[in-house]
Amino acid sequence: MSDTLRAGVIGLGMIGGGVAVSLTRSGRVPAVYDIRPDAAADLAGVPDPLGSPAEVAKTSDVVMVAVVDAAQAREVIAGENGLLSAARPGLVIVLLATVALPVVHELAGLCAEHGVGFLDCGVTPGDKAAENGMVAILGGEQKTVDEALPVLEDWAKKVVHCGPPGAGMATKIARNVVTYGSWRTVTEAAALARAAGVDPSRLAEIIDSADPEGRTLLQLLRMRDAVGVLPEAAGHQIEPLMTKDLDAARDLAADLGVQAPLVDVVRAQARHTLQLDAEPAPPPEPAPAKDDVHAYGLHMMDQAYGPGFSTAVQDSTDPFSTETVSYLFAQVWGREGLSVRDRRLLTLGVAATVGRPELVQIIANGALVNNELSADQLREAVLHLAVYTGWCKATATHTGVTAAIDAHTTAQSPTAQEQK
């Protein structure tokens, strides 16, 4: 039965034309249609297009629809001379176009009314269509998948049934997020490398050599369980490495004057990514340009001591406050060479030396708010500093750190979050 199934293809662009070529190579020459009469001229072995989608329906058992958008899909499937106008019960329509899920369900419903099977089928990568090289990402009833499978296997290197109608399209859309999101990531990474004097081709060479199969890209996804939950222990293990590396990237971008908004968002969302927070933190505002010394100083003050810390001095005309912003934070805290976390630890040591618990509390709070140091790490720092500053001064350090931890813990409590 599988050898006698007749195939059809509507739309002979890169994907549809490639599917038609792959089917022909597999020995299942399809009936085809395209609005361009000469669309099959350069497609090896593919016959000339028929006069309408309806004619394809009359001579096919499984028809792939590879059009551009929802309007074309509706016209080809349900239009005056569309597939449904001549379809017999048992025909299977496979939609290869990426459209919104409501459109998928709309077309599936129309097909059901005519006794026609419907599969939504995302495909990737499109440039491998003519080489039997695409993955078919299916949504639809299992019975319909089974009926169409012999034809699908003649043009796809792998067929993956993701679930009921709409599941294939949802999975393809999610796949596209990975693709385009990765492009943005690579764009920022390449800009950062180039600004640091590195040829971005070296970056590509390193990634190709170190991770040729994308294992790292999908590592977090594969660590999750069947319902998408990441083991908490894994999140806590990854977090310090992830935040350290992202802080280094953010600091380097600021030092080199490179705009890297995705780095800021990924850093702000790190705990949410690792499923350590119930709600994601809002993305930070982009860093001001370094040549706007006052604005950049206010930004670095908030980086050092937490969002909103600079509010108290942002409009001040007092010379001391002005120089604190424009020199201490813009030109010292903002210098290349040490991260904000590094400078915070140095400043914490100075604060411990002078025995100023209120200053220690400000510094420790910045570390907690920015997820640079945990409460346990701050307590360990108190013990370490006690050996060098003396136990009496360390008492003041302990007081400031404890106050910061208590305040931060209270602010993060469910009750406090509900009141925000």
Side-chain angles (χ1 to χ4, degrees), residues 17 31 36-37 46 99 110 130 174 182 186-187 202 253 255 263 271 282 336 347 365 399 412:
R36 300 164 296 153
V46 177
V99 299
L110 289 172
S182 297
V186 170
T187 297
R202 299 283 74 81
D255 290 338
V263 173
R271 288 182 61 80
E336 183 178 357
T347 309
N365 182 68
T399 299
Q412 296 299 310

Side-chain angles (χ1 to χ4, degrees), residues 164-191:
M169 201 62 60
T171 307
K172 173 61 188 301
I173 291 169
R175 155 71 178 174
N176 289 346
V177 171
V178 173
T179 298
Y180 300 132
S182 297
W183 287 1
R184 177 61 207 176
T185 301
V186 170
T187 297
E188 289 193 11

Side-chain angles (χ1 to χ4, degrees), residues 9 36 45 57 60 80 180 219 285 298 303 313 346 419:
V9 179
R36 300 164 296 153
S60 303
E80 183 178 354
Y180 300 132
Q219 183 176 12
E285 294 293 326
L298 293 172
Q303 291 294 301
V313 297
L346 291 172
Q419 292 174 350

